[in-house]
Amino acid sequence: MPDQSIPQVRVSAEGAGEPDSAGGHGISRRALLGTAGATGLVLGAAGGAVGYTAAPAPATPLTSVGSDRVMFHGKHQPGITEGLQARGHLVAFDLTAGAGRKEAAALLRRWSTTAERLMAGEAAPHEDTDVARDAGPSSLTVTFGFGHGFFARTGLEKQRPSALDPLPDFSSDHLDKARSDGDLWVQIGANDALVAFHALRALQKDAGGAARLRWQMNGFNRTPGATAHPMTARNLMGQLDGTRNPKPAESDFDRRIFVPASGEPAWMANGSYAVVRRIRMLLDDWEQLSVSAQEAVIGRRKSNGAPLSGGDETTPMDLEKTDAKGEYVVPLNAHARITRPDKNGGAAMLRRPFSYHDGFDADGTPDAGLLFVCWQADPLRGFVPVQRKLDRGDALSQFIRHEASGLFAVPGGAARGEYVGQRLLEG
């Protein structure tokens, strides 16, 4: 779990329409609800813009959490640079026997249409379940990716990127193949659990006979607004997790995280590669350590994320500082020391994880940990070198276990009128 931080969410609050009962184009039910809040959407102005002469009946304003909206169309797919959401679902599908390029294209078109509507706070286009009827968009994001096997099944082997070659084996892996990989990957995130489930259900139904579910993982993070001020998230070990994430304002952010517009293959322009790992935390063992022992494992203070060498969370770590006994204050095998980009040839990735808890084993051991998701322009220059180094001597390794893994090519965002992956499937 490399030591990096997450940028803040970027949202807008545009109204969105959906068909009314007479077949016309009215204001969506959630746009009516989302009349106020932190985003400042004014219903009267929105109504005037589409030609209404009478204001609709007053509606209870959504809170800022419910009214926040992320746009579906853009240079990059949503769900990469936005801030951590309170609820997430990671889902993998395999194309069914007989489903090929044509069926995959139709599926991605359906999925893109559904994702665009749901992210706008509208109902699903077909047989909406009304699960999220009373909620706004709640920062919903839906992200789509392709696994290694997708290209053979669709006859597009020549378009498979070399960066999608299978990840190497790591000595710390205890992988369940049934919960790894997949032809298609979907990441769903939202700040409301019902909104996230609504999207999950709609997309699963959209798969129809073209794809079958391979695996699903459910995660969570702290709800926005639960702390006095925005801060780096904590994981289930109680540590601030994500302090050194690259930030969009940094000059080399795009180069590290996204495939360039001139990159190869051309259909991956402005896309990224997602490594997904289900990392179980051995919490019973971890919680037996003293706080000072936990801090030595990580290399940072548990209370505020400051490096053991001093300062606050953002203070650069002094790797050469020693104590009165001449020993490094940040141990040589501390997780934060090993994962530093300057100690890994500049390797960097954007971490955007969810925590998970899937109950308890028969002996009462919690099945809990991290749904690790990281983004990079090339996993062979991002995740792989860092994980290899962690494999050789990370103090944290005895308290975690990698139980599932996947690597997915996530194409750039769809332009208006396009669906995600269209340049691959129709190129």
Side-chain angles (χ1 to χ4, degrees):
M1 297 178 291
D3 175 46
Q4 302 168 335
S5 70
I6 293 293
Q8 294 299 305
V9 64
R10 298 198 301 266
V11 299
S12 63
E14 296 181 10
E18 66 180 20
D20 60 23
S21 59
H25 199 70
I27 297 179
S28 76
R29 59 174 181 259
R30 293 179 208 166
L32 290 174
L33 289 168
T35 59
T39 54
L41 178 64
V42 180
L43 183 61
V50 294
Y52 287 96
T53 56
T60 303
L62 288 167
T63 68
S64 60
V65 171
S67 61
D68 286 348
R69 175 184 173 186
V70 181
M71 305 306 295
F72 176 75
H73 295 292
K75 182 178 180 180
H76 309 298
Q77 284 197 61
I80 302 177
T81 59
E82 287 77 21
L84 294 179
Q85 294 135 307
R87 188 66 176 173
H89 301 292
L90 307 181
V91 196
F93 295 83
D94 286 333
L95 293 174
T96 56
R101 183 172 176 176
K102 178 180 177 181
E103 290 76 16
L107 173 57
L108 267 297
R109 186 182 293 278
R110 289 196 300 274
W111 272 353
S112 296
T113 298
T114 296
E116 181 181 8
R117 288 179 63 91
L118 297 184
M119 286 176 55
E122 301 178 17
H126 307 291
E127 300 178 355
D128 188 79
T129 62
D130 280 343
V131 170
R133 181 182 182 91
D134 309 303
S138 301
S139 296
L140 175 67
T141 61
V142 182
T143 319
F144 302 108
F146 305 121
H148 187 275
F150 177 84
F151 297 85
R153 290 178 176 270
T154 55
L156 292 166
E157 294 97 329
K158 292 183 179 179
Q159 291 297 320
R160 185 176 62 227
S162 58
L164 202 58
D165 288 347
L167 296 172
D169 294 330
F170 300 104
S171 63
S172 60
D173 286 351
H174 296 77
L175 304 183
D176 178 356
K177 298 298 184 182
R179 292 193 293 184
S180 299
D181 304 318
D183 295 340
L184 291 158
W185 176 67
V186 183
Q187 175 190 251
I188 298 167
N191 283 332
D192 179 79
L194 286 178
V195 169
F197 176 84
H198 181 237
L200 172 68
R201 187 71 182 124
L203 294 167
Q204 182 185 9
K205 290 167 64 178
D206 275 349
R212 59 177 178 80
L213 186 69
R214 180 180 176 89
W215 54 258
Q216 177 192 331
M217 301 175 190
N218 308 315
F220 58 90
N221 285 302
R222 177 170 277 158
T223 301
T227 56
H229 54 82
M231 60 180 293
T232 306
R234 290 189 186 273
N235 60 33
L236 298 189
M237 288 178 162
Q239 301 287 153
L240 292 184
D241 190 354
T243 296
R244 287 185 57 84
N245 246 355
K247 298 173 177 58
E250 295 170 356
S251 61
D252 60 351
F253 179 84
D254 280 4
R255 178 181 62 79
R256 290 180 168 191
I257 307 306
F258 294 110
V259 177
S262 59
E264 292 293 336
W267 65 267
M268 272 296 290
N270 302 313
S272 188
Y273 291 91
V275 174
V276 181
R277 309 277 280 186
R278 185 182 190 271
I279 303 176
R280 184 164 179 168
M281 295 176 174
L282 309 181
L283 294 177
D284 285 346
D285 295 336
W286 175 255
E287 291 164 4
Q288 289 179 12
L289 298 179
S290 66
V291 171
S292 60
Q294 292 177 352
E295 292 176 340
V297 168
I298 302 299
R300 290 182 175 274
R301 299 294 178 201
K302 192 171 185 178
S303 60
N304 61 2
L308 296 184
S309 54
D312 58 25
E313 184 184 358
T314 61
T315 302
M317 185 174 289
D318 183 354
L319 299 180
E320 303 304 318
K321 186 174 182 178
T322 58
D323 60 17
K325 297 179 181 179
E327 297 177 351
Y328 289 117
V329 295
V330 180
L332 289 173
N333 63 349
H335 184 75
R337 176 190 282 268
I338 292 176
T339 59
R340 286 172 58 94
D342 57 0
K343 297 297 180 181
N344 292 280
M349 65 198 86
L350 177 66
R351 299 179 64 263
R352 198 174 182 277
F354 293 94
S355 293
Y356 79 87
H357 179 219
D358 290 339
F360 298 85
D361 292 345
D363 62 358
T365 302
D367 183 3
L370 195 71
L371 301 181
F372 174 89
V373 182
C374 73
W375 300 89
Q376 58 261 288
D378 184 349
L380 294 179
R381 297 182 180 180
F383 173 79
V384 171
V386 176
Q387 187 59 36
R388 278 179 171 155
K389 196 165 183 180
L390 290 171
D391 225 25
R392 292 196 294 266
D394 178 22
L396 186 60
S397 62
Q398 63 181 302
F399 301 102
I400 61 175
R401 187 165 62 225
H402 292 242
E403 296 186 337
S405 178
L407 171 61
F408 303 96
V410 176
R416 292 195 178 276
E418 286 187 345
Y419 62 87
V420 173
Q422 183 170 338
R423 280 164 277 180
L424 167 65
L425 291 163
E426 297 185 17

